[in-house]
Structure formats: structure tokens, C-alpha cells
Amino acid sequence: MLVEREAESCYLGQFIPVQYHHNMLMDANRMDNFKAAIQHHVFEGAKVLELGGGTGVLSWFAAQSASKVYCVEFNPDMVAEARRLLAKNRDGHKVEVIHADAFEYLPPEPVDFVICEMIHVAMLREKQVEVIEGFKRRYAERFPDAKMPVFIPEAVLMAVQPLQETYDFWGYQAPIIQFTQPGVFSANTQELGNPVLYSVIDFCQPNELAVRWQGSLQIETPGTLTALRFVTKNVLAVLLDTGSTIDWLNHYMAIPVPEPMQVNAGDIVDVSFAYHTGAPISALQNTLSVSLRQPSHETQDAVAAGMATA
């Protein structure tokens, strides 16, 4: 019988079969930005640890400059695959693939960088935050005199946005959670307002596993509020010389609101939710509260003035 963590891993995608990894390897949004961030960060002779290595491709990016890369993977089938694939690639010998649990593993020596990509939109389902926070505590105890490594990603920004989403499938009404690629526009989706930031996770700082938000969204475009879009931007590297960042956007996740509501420009929608990072999507969905608040006279006047001058 599977223990709780093993059962959770099977459900949460830690045991992703190698066939699915092909999709990840083909994802230019993911691969290009991780490669650029790793190349920016990892200097010649660096020591690198990857937690949850999968096929080993991110460890291999690091091995182009690093002198040693420890690649930790929990799935025994993926351990074998990573070793097989790395053996086919130049500098693959610099990567040591280790069959171990990322919740417990520590490298035998201090490292300069930690790569970890256990990321799902809204930081649900996968255990990125829990793994990194646990690692930082264990690492500080094992290597009290060592500098904490740089984490890739460095931070995560999460936002929520009001949508009019059409849930008509050949006449069948089915308001269900949907995932879409960022930057891909659909006639079935209309943005009713701008995204509002609800959480920032900075891996240089201690982070709580609980995410709680109570805030307001302003409607910019009239329509029917049927869903909230959750946007997750991973800051893979901060480029201090240019004041820019290398980012990776997760797929957008649109969650239907409990009850659709007609909204006008200037309306305020009060939203609240609470969940723990790594929890199932239902943890967020089941706590989601959405209510319409009429705007103040000042807001109505400002909206009217804006429409008059448009």
C-alpha cells in the first residue's frame, strides 16, 4: 500500500511518465527561458543541485559551465532515463543523477545554485514551496558557515484577473476549469479588467505555505463575469545590469465563479480565497468567494469622464 507521500506523488504528477516529458522538452516558453536563466547564473566551476530533475535537461544546461551538478529524482524510471539521456550528451558526465526524495536530500558539499521546477499555476498541486523551504532549513543546519545558494526560479508572482469566459461546447453548457497558453487569444475569452497581484514568493526569504487573499478587482469592460484567471509568473533570473528579468509564465488557469454576474465598467468585485501551496486545485476553488460591490460616486464620475474623453 502506498504511503501518503507516494500516493500524493502519483496524483500530483511527480511520477510523470517519460512520454509526457517530451511535451515539456518541446515547450519553447519553458525551455528557452530556463536555459537563458541558467546560462546567466551559473559561472565556470560552480556547484549546482537540481531538485526534481526529470529527464535531466536543466541539469545539463547547468553542466555547460558548472564543474559538478547533483540531479535528484524520486521516480526510479526517470532516474534510469536521465542517466541514459545524459550519457548521450556532451558534458553529461558532470551530472550525477541521484535516486532520492527532494524533501529529504542534501548535497555532500555546499552548492552555489539550486534549480527546482516543481511548479504549477498558483503554486497548487506541486510542492515547490514546501521543498525549497524544507531544503533551506536542512541546508543551514548541515552547512552553517556556507552562503545560501541562489535559487532558480528566484521568485514567483501570482495574480488574479476577471474574465468573461464562454462555456458553450456545441450547445452543452460546461463551466469547468480551463488552462490556456499565455499570449494565445480566443474569441471565447474576454478580459474584463487588469490582473491584480495577490502573492509574491521570494525564495531568498522565508515563505509561508498558506496563501490567503481578500481584495478587489475593478471592472474595465462591461460584460458577464463568469471566471477568474490565475496568472503565475516565475522570475528565473534578475538581470541587475539591465534592470530586467528572465521570466517563465505558467499556463493561465481560469476557474468559474460560483455564480455568473453582469458587471459594468467601474464596478468593483470583491474576491477572497485561501489555500496551501501544493494543495489540489479544489482547495482554492472551494474557498472562492466573489461578490459585486457598486462603485462609489467618485469612481462612477471618473469612469464617465474617461468614456467621454476616449
Side-chain angles (χ1 to χ4, degrees), residues 44-221:
E44 288 292 331
K47 305 288 178 66
V48 179
L49 168 65
E50 183 181 6
L51 297 171
T55 60
V57 63
L58 302 186
S59 288
W60 182 74
F61 288 156
Q64 309 312 298
S65 299
S67 61
K68 178 70 176 182
V69 182
Y70 301 97
C71 177
V72 174
E73 173 58 45
F74 191 43
N75 181 347
D77 294 335
M78 286 309 305
V79 169
E81 276 299 297
R83 289 171 178 166
R84 181 181 72 86
L85 296 172
L86 285 162
K88 295 177 177 293
N89 287 274
R90 178 180 56 84
D91 293 323
H93 67 281
K94 295 183 183 179
V95 181
E96 180 182 352
V97 182
I98 301 159
H99 182 206
D101 189 340
F103 283 93
E104 301 172 355
Y105 181 80
L106 280 173
E109 61 181 327
V111 294
D112 301 293
F113 301 96
V114 173
I115 303 167
C116 187
E117 196 273 89
M118 299 182 186
I119 300 171
H120 186 277
V121 62
M123 304 309 283
L124 291 161
R125 300 193 71 227
E126 299 208 52
K127 303 292 188 178
Q128 177 89 3
V129 180
E130 186 177 351
V131 165
I132 295 299
E133 294 307 306
F135 171 84
K136 288 191 291 190
R137 289 191 296 271
R138 299 193 313 276
Y139 188 87
E141 292 172 0
R142 173 74 66 85
F143 306 110
D145 298 325
K147 181 182 177 182
M148 189 62 66
V150 173
F151 293 94
I152 307 172
E154 296 190 43
V156 179
L157 283 67
M158 295 183 282
V160 61
Q161 180 180 23
L163 293 184
Q164 177 175 298
E165 188 74 42
T166 302
Y167 291 109
D168 186 314
F169 300 91
W170 286 268
Y172 185 68
Q173 302 302 309
I176 58 175
I177 295 173
Q178 295 180 334
F179 293 91
T180 57
Q181 292 186 6
V184 176
F185 299 97
S186 167
N188 294 325
T189 302
Q190 182 178 0
E191 299 176 346
L192 300 181
N194 295 318
V196 173
L197 190 70
Y198 71 83
S199 181
V200 176
I201 297 172
D202 180 352
F203 289 115
C204 293
Q205 305 295 327
N207 294 288
E208 297 292 332
L209 302 183
V211 178
R212 299 182 182 87
W213 190 71
Q214 183 174 353
S216 301
L217 308 176
Q218 182 163 334
I219 301 300
E220 306 288 342
T221 303

Side-chain angles (χ1 to χ4, degrees), residues 236-259:
L236 304 182
V238 177
L239 311 182
L240 296 177
D241 53 340
T242 60
S244 60
T245 58
I246 299 173
D247 302 323
W248 170 45
L249 272 175
N250 285 91
H251 279 61
Y252 294 149
M253 177 176 68
I255 296 183
V257 299
E259 292 294 337

Side-chain angles (χ1 to χ4, degrees), residues 213-219 225 228 261 267-273 288-294:
W213 190 71
Q214 183 174 353
S216 301
L217 308 176
Q218 182 163 334
I219 301 300
L225 176 64
L228 296 179
M261 57 185 70
D267 283 350
I268 304 297
V269 177
D270 292 324
V271 177
S272 66
F273 50 83
L288 185 61
S289 174
V290 182
S291 60
L292 179 62
R293 172 161 50 98
Q294 296 299 321

